[in-house]
Amino acid sequence: MSIKNTFRKTLILFSIVPIIIVAVVAYYFITRKLISVTTDNLQQLAETNSNGLDALIETQRTEVDLLSIQNELYHFTSLSNTSSLVNTSFYMDAYKDLYGLLQQRSKLNSSCERITVYNADKKVVACSNEEYVGFDGSDSSTLSYIRATGRTAYGVSGLIKHVDNYNNIDYYIEIGSPILGKSSDDLLIIGYVVNTISISYFNDFLKSIEMGNTGFGQVLDKDGKIVYHPNSDLIGEGVNSDKLNKIINNYYSGSISKNGVFNLYHNGSEKIYGYSVIPKLNWVLVVQQNVSEVIDLANIIIYVLALTMIVLMILVIAVSSSISKALTDPIIELKDVMMAAANGNLEVQSNIKLKNELGELSRIFNKMIHIIRGNYNDLSAMHEELLTNEEELRTNYEHIEYLAYHDVLTKLPNKMSFTEKVSKVLDASVETEQVHAIYFVDLDNFKTINDTLGHDYGDQLLEQTAEQLINLAGPNDIVARAGGDEFLLFRKDLKSREDAGDFAAKVIDSFKDPFNLNGEIAHVSMSMGIALYPHNGDHINALIKNADIAMYRSKDTGKNKFTMFCRNMEEELSRNALILEILRNAINSKEVYVKYQPQYNIISNTITGFEALMRINNSKLGNISPAEFIPIAEESGLIIGLGEWILREACTFNKSLLDQGFTPCIVSVNISTVQINHPDFVSMVDSVLKETNLPPQYLELEITESTLVSSLIDATILLSNLQNLGVHVSLDDFGTGYSSLNYLTTIPINTLKIDKSFVDNISKNDKDACIADAIIQLAHSIQVDVIAEGVEHEEQLIVLKKKNCDIVQGYIFSKPLLPSALINLLKNT
């Protein structure tokens, strides 16, 4: 064996044997030390992070406690506990202030799901998420704990699971504080404020707990459920270990301390656990690490020594070839980069850093390739810029052209495009006998969907409507969006008028199925008007206008239907427009006047009151029926001015009767839904009474059941305010609307009027007689007088007397009279 090989083997042997002996001894001691250090670190890590977690909870507790003493919250909670103040103006102002505060605090805390305020009855009266307002919290553990202890509640309700509309799961805890009254008794609880916090609030803090590759922290509650885990899918699940489950119970029983460590074989491996109990929430923070990972650290020493031996052997072999390698490598590298540059790669660089000729040659090459690359990049950039500008001009032109003829939302042609296309078809049909149809489509109650679900859902509805209309249309039909929730549809070469109607019925029928708007179910119907070419017009604008008129006829006669245009619709529209103009000037032109129909006490046969009835006589149209002009006045809003006028006229007239010494009578004035919903209605009535000096007990306001439909609570408050003025309230046309007995037991009324439709056949139809009898008995049972209107025959009067009706009104005694005629009647009775 050569000396070179002997030296090499001896060197290797004496280098490796000592390393092996040291490695075995070091492995034993280091393994024991690492396990001891890891155990101490885990306990310290659990205790330190437990304190940090407690500080995070304290931060939320402080936020809730500070919020509970805010003036806005105290003021509103006090109001909410007084039923008579609920829904008053200052109650609503206080609610707006508190809602703004809750929104502000909620937005400041990204993990805050909602902040909820309960009154003393544990009912939600305000919330940063308004859909929870009105929720009953009687079964809330958090509120019960606060009521029992008077102290802040930390997660008393445990983990609260929430699944949203997209099946995303989140967990929350509640931190609640009492709202104390400002009285001599500081423990008087007038309400509660509860902050619902997502468990994600603790994530950023807890996910930083790491020990090596297998060490991590998790939080368990007293029932052994996982509150936090790096694997979020496990949150809310129970941990499958009795020892982990019983940490909190063992702590409260005194068998273990608040902080500690233990070893446990769990989930297939030996683990070291450090724990720290958080008494406030009955949680325990557990930090774990696999024992095998700790031992693996010791194994690294063996691997390092083995690697060292391999490296030494490689170094011995490598030294012999290092000299030749040091000389030839730079030359080969420079050759490679020059060849790459010659093949078109201008990004190459020579990395030879030698301080000799080869190093200098490398630097010259890099400088040269940098100059060439710069010139090439400038030319490429200029070429790309020219191509980009050309593409932008082409795209902009196409987009502008598209926008000019299409609706952006539905991608349908717009009204201008529709007009141009249909005009071309009509121009080609002048000399033919072809029949075409234009359909004007309007969605019913689209505004309601927009207001309740939001504009995004409204846009989806319009898109789906457009898609459905396209699917129903034929290949030669034209569908367009006219604007808002209105669509236009053109069909050519129809066989008959019935063909146009059949298609309209098919479209309306197809909308019976509800739409799915991102999980929200919306039922939509449509009203449709149809104009035929050439019968209803020979020009596109005339056809669209007439189809629009027919569509409004569908709306006015019940919606969810189609109507064919006919000439009398246009005449009716013109008449309605003329009536509208008459109404605008009726007061100034003195074309509006009042008639009064007496109301007789059925027992004493004396006049106890009279109803004021508005009438209009125009020089062009003559007498206009109230059934015709009242709906127009209500739709246009003119009923507000006309209603105030007749109220003032009736009060002035009745006051003049009192001044003339006539027996006091009550004058009744009909009030429309539009009037009573006006925000200044009550103050207007009060102002008229003060202006005319009529004692309020001699004025009665008649409302119909339809007025109460929108909001029974609002109607009750408004009618109570009227009665507070001293005014009488009468429920008119009872039995023709919803006829809910709830109205009679809830709203404050003085008089109930039986509708004429029941009186007409009261002497001939047993059912009508029974209904009238039931209404009279019901009204009398709640101390409300009954007026029967439309009494025209003696037989009707006889039946009403038998039924103990209080007052009658109708032609059997008197038709509506002018003021002078009524005065003469009063003088003669």
Side-chain angles (χ1 to χ4, degrees):
M1 182 180 294
S2 65
I3 296 176
K4 179 179 179 180
N5 290 336
T6 300
F7 178 77
R8 182 182 298 170
K9 291 179 181 179
T10 302
L11 183 61
I12 293 172
L13 181 62
F14 280 94
S15 298
I16 294 176
V17 170
I19 294 175
I20 293 175
I21 295 173
V22 172
V24 171
V25 175
Y27 177 79
Y28 174 76
F29 287 102
I30 290 174
T31 299
R32 295 184 61 184
K33 185 63 177 177
L34 284 173
I35 292 176
S36 176
V37 170
T38 300
T39 301
D40 293 339
N41 288 344
L42 286 174
Q43 180 173 348
Q44 184 177 2
L45 189 61
E47 186 174 351
T48 301
N49 285 279
S50 172
N51 293 334
L53 192 59
D54 188 75
L56 289 176
I57 296 167
E58 276 300 304
T59 299
Q60 292 298 327
R61 193 273 305 166
T62 302
E63 177 68 17
V64 174
D65 286 352
L66 290 175
L67 185 59
S68 71
I69 62 175
Q70 293 293 316
N71 287 334
E72 295 93 331
L73 189 143
Y74 169 78
H75 179 56
F76 176 78
T77 307
S78 299
L79 293 176
S80 69
N81 288 324
T82 305
S83 60
S84 62
L85 299 178
V86 175
N87 289 330
T88 61
S89 60
F90 48 88
Y91 175 89
M92 297 309 296
D93 291 340
Y95 176 80
K96 290 177 182 177
D97 292 340
L98 176 56
Y99 180 70
L101 175 63
L102 297 181
Q103 283 286 300
Q104 178 190 20
R105 295 297 175 86
S106 178
K107 290 177 181 177
L108 288 175
N109 186 351
S110 60
S111 297
C112 175
E113 198 275 334
R114 64 181 179 274
I115 303 175
T116 310
V117 178
Y118 298 80
N119 64 10
D121 295 328
K122 300 183 181 180
K123 180 170 287 186
V124 178
V125 293
C127 186
S128 58
N129 185 346
E130 287 191 298
E131 69 181 21
Y132 287 90
V133 174
F135 175 76
D136 186 4
S138 298
D139 58 350
S140 170
S141 300
T142 298
L143 303 187
S144 298
Y145 177 87
I146 296 173
R147 170 61 71 182
T149 65
R151 298 198 301 269
T152 301
Y154 299 83
V156 173
S157 297
L159 275 183
I160 301 172
K161 183 177 180 181
H162 175 71
V163 182
D164 63 17
N165 293 335
Y166 304 99
N167 290 325
N168 296 319
I169 300 175
D170 203 350
Y171 291 88
Y172 302 91
I173 63 170
E174 292 181 341
I175 298 180
S177 180
I179 303 170
L180 300 179
K182 297 181 179 179
S183 66
S184 58
D185 183 2
D186 291 336
L187 296 179
L188 176 62
I189 297 177
I190 65 170
Y192 312 83
V193 57
V194 178
N195 191 356
T196 303
I197 306 167
S198 174
I199 290 300
S200 62
Y201 171 67
F202 306 105
N203 285 2
D204 290 340
F205 177 77
L206 293 173
K207 71 182 181 182
S208 64
I209 302 175
E210 294 181 350
M211 284 285 286
N213 294 323
T214 62
F216 62 87
Q218 61 179 319
V219 179
L220 310 176
D221 66 11
K222 61 183 176 61
D223 298 319
K225 286 188 178 180
I226 298 174
V227 177
Y228 167 79
H229 194 283
N231 182 359
S232 60
D233 292 336
L234 298 179
I235 296 177
E237 301 292 331
V239 64
N240 57 343
S241 168
D242 288 339
K243 190 172 184 64
L244 293 176
N245 278 334
K246 297 178 179 178
I247 291 177
I248 295 178
N249 292 332
N250 290 339
Y251 164 72
Y252 283 115
S253 67
S255 59
I256 62 172
S257 61
K258 180 181 178 183
N259 305 299
V261 293
F262 58 86
N263 283 33
L264 178 66
Y265 187 85
H266 184 232
N267 288 340
S269 62
E270 182 76 17
K271 295 179 174 61
I272 305 172
Y273 291 86
Y275 72 88
S276 179
V277 177
I278 307 168
K280 285 181 181 177
L281 291 170
N282 285 333
W283 289 358
V284 58
L285 174 61
V286 180
V287 184
Q288 69 178 59
Q289 188 174 17
N290 287 356
V291 174
S292 61
E293 184 180 12
V294 179
I295 297 175
D296 285 343
L297 293 175
N299 293 337
I300 292 175
I301 298 173
I302 302 301
Y303 298 146
V304 170
L305 290 175
L307 181 62
T308 302
M309 289 186 293
I310 295 172
V311 170
L312 287 175
M313 293 177 65
I314 294 174
L315 285 175
V316 172
I317 298 171
V319 168
S320 61
S321 59
S322 62
I323 297 176
S324 60
K325 180 176 178 62
L327 293 175
T328 57
D329 282 354
I331 298 174
I332 294 172
E333 181 180 348
L334 187 59
K335 182 206 66 166
D336 290 339
V337 295
M338 293 180 69
M339 183 175 293
N343 291 332
N345 184 3
L346 301 180
E347 300 295 328
V348 295
Q349 289 284 303
S350 175
N351 296 316
I352 301 173
K353 306 297 183 184
L354 299 175
K355 296 182 179 180
N356 54 23
E357 290 80 2
L358 288 174
E360 184 177 356
L361 182 60
S362 174
R363 290 189 292 273
I364 293 172
F365 171 81
N366 288 341
K367 184 177 181 180
M368 178 187 67
I369 204 69
H370 175 74
I371 295 172
I372 295 173
R373 184 170 59 247
N375 293 337
Y376 178 82
N377 288 340
D378 289 343
L379 290 173
S380 298
M382 188 179 297
H383 180 259
E384 288 296 328
E385 184 177 357
L386 290 173
L387 291 178
T388 301
N389 290 341
E390 181 183 0
E391 184 64 25
E392 285 181 355
L393 288 173
R394 183 182 297 107
T395 301
N396 289 340
Y397 176 80
E398 292 173 353
H399 184 62
I400 291 171
E401 186 178 33
Y402 180 87
L403 292 178
Y405 289 95
H406 289 81
D407 172 55
V408 177
L409 177 64
T410 62
K411 307 301 184 293
L412 290 176
N414 58 19
K415 188 175 182 180
M416 181 175 70
S417 176
F418 179 86
T419 301
E420 290 184 5
K421 291 178 180 179
V422 175
S423 294
K424 291 179 181 179
V425 176
L426 298 183
D427 291 342
S429 305
V430 173
E431 301 297 329
T432 68
E433 295 182 357
Q434 294 174 315
V435 176
H436 311 306
I438 285 183
Y439 299 78
F440 201 110
V441 180
D442 184 271
L443 299 182
D444 297 328
N445 303 320
F446 175 75
K447 185 177 184 301
T448 301
I449 293 176
N450 244 0
D451 292 343
T452 54
L453 299 180
H455 291 283
D456 290 340
Y457 288 91
D459 289 346
Q460 288 184 46
L461 176 58
L462 293 174
E463 289 175 304
Q464 293 186 30
T465 298
E467 182 178 350
Q468 188 154 326
L469 289 175
I470 290 173
N471 293 336
L472 292 169
N476 296 322
D477 297 344
I478 303 172
V479 181
R481 184 185 177 194
D485 60 334
E486 297 176 339
F487 295 86
L488 289 166
L489 194 147
F490 175 75
R491 302 194 78 214
K492 59 186 297 187
D493 297 338
L494 299 180
K495 297 178 181 178
S496 64
R497 179 186 182 91
E498 288 72 21
D499 189 15
D502 291 343
F503 177 76
K506 176 183 176 182
V507 172
I508 292 173
D509 185 67
S510 71
F511 278 76
K512 289 182 179 178
D513 296 329
F515 287 90
N516 188 325
L517 309 177
N518 271 359
E520 295 287 346
I521 302 301
H523 291 269
V524 180
S525 63
M526 59 172 53
S527 297
M528 187 182 299
I530 307 172
L532 299 178
Y533 170 90
H535 311 297
N536 305 136
D538 56 5
H539 189 270
I540 180 61
N541 292 332
L543 290 168
I544 292 177
K545 182 197 74 173
N546 291 338
D548 189 15
I549 292 172
M551 182 273 292
Y552 274 104
R553 172 58 62 87
S554 296
K555 288 257 185 209
D556 294 338
T557 55
K559 302 180 181 179
N560 193 29
K561 60 189 295 189
F562 69 91
T563 302
M564 294 280 192
F565 175 81
C566 60
R567 287 299 170 191
N568 62 354
M569 291 182 190
E570 194 167 19
E571 294 170 0
E572 182 180 337
L573 191 65
S574 299
R575 178 177 173 83
N576 288 346
L578 182 57
I579 292 174
L580 179 61
E581 191 60 31
I582 292 170
L583 291 175
R584 293 185 194 279
N585 303 290
I587 297 175
N588 292 335
S589 62
K590 301 186 184 305
E591 292 181 334
V592 59
Y593 61 97
V594 185
K595 281 189 172 184
Y596 300 93
Q597 187 170 31
Q599 297 171 338
Y600 286 80
N601 184 290
I602 203 166
I603 302 299
S604 63
N605 200 32
T606 59
I607 297 175
T608 60
F610 41 87
E611 181 178 2
L613 302 169
M614 186 186 300
R615 297 290 185 262
I616 291 180
N617 185 280
N618 177 256
S619 58
K620 183 181 292 186
L621 298 183
N623 288 318
I624 305 174
S625 168
E628 187 175 16
F629 73 75
I630 292 295
I632 297 174
E634 289 181 333
E635 184 177 352
S636 64
L638 295 175
I639 194 66
I640 300 295
L642 291 169
E644 183 177 352
W645 176 87
I646 191 174
L647 181 65
R648 184 176 287 104
E649 287 290 312
C651 290
T652 301
F653 176 69
N654 201 18
K655 181 60 169 64
S656 70
L657 294 180
L658 294 175
D659 294 341
Q660 295 175 50
F662 287 105
T663 301
C665 292
I666 296 176
V667 61
S668 300
V669 180
N670 288 284
I671 303 299
S672 77
T673 303
V674 178
Q675 287 177 270
I676 206 168
N677 286 327
H678 194 275
D680 297 328
F681 177 71
V682 176
S683 60
M684 183 272 290
V685 173
D686 186 36
S687 176
V688 169
L689 287 171
K690 291 177 180 177
E691 177 185 335
T692 60
N693 291 320
L694 177 68
Q697 65 266 29
Y698 299 127
L699 172 63
E700 183 172 73
L701 301 180
E702 294 190 11
I703 62 170
T704 60
E705 289 184 67
S706 60
T707 305
L708 309 176
V709 172
S710 60
S711 173
L712 186 59
I713 295 176
D714 292 343
T716 302
I717 294 172
L718 186 140
L719 297 182
S720 296
N721 291 337
L722 288 173
Q723 287 195 338
N724 289 338
L725 296 178
V727 174
H728 287 223
V729 178
S730 172
L731 184 60
D732 195 13
D733 298 338
F734 185 77
T736 62
Y738 292 86
S739 301
S740 172
L741 299 181
N742 189 38
Y743 295 157
L744 300 183
T745 60
T746 304
I747 65 170
I749 61 172
N750 304 97
T751 307
L752 187 69
K753 296 190 75 173
I754 302 177
D755 186 67
K756 182 179 184 299
S757 60
F758 293 108
V759 175
D760 286 342
N761 297 314
I762 197 170
S763 60
K764 304 175 183 178
N765 188 307
D766 291 340
K767 289 184 178 180
D768 284 350
C770 288
I771 292 173
D773 185 38
I775 293 173
I776 293 169
Q777 291 186 37
L778 177 61
H780 286 168
S781 68
I782 58 174
Q783 287 79 51
V784 172
D785 290 335
V786 180
I787 299 177
E789 59 182 351
V791 181
E792 298 178 354
H793 305 293
E794 186 69 28
E795 296 84 358
Q796 296 170 339
L797 184 61
I798 293 171
V799 174
L800 290 170
K801 283 183 178 180
K802 289 181 180 179
K803 304 298 183 184
N804 294 321
C805 182
D806 301 299
I807 301 169
V808 294
Q809 172 184 342
Y811 277 29
I812 189 171
F813 288 110
S814 174
K815 63 181 180 180
L817 304 172
L818 290 172
S820 57
L822 178 61
I823 291 174
N824 290 332
L825 180 62
L826 291 172
K827 288 179 179 179
N828 296 326
T829 56

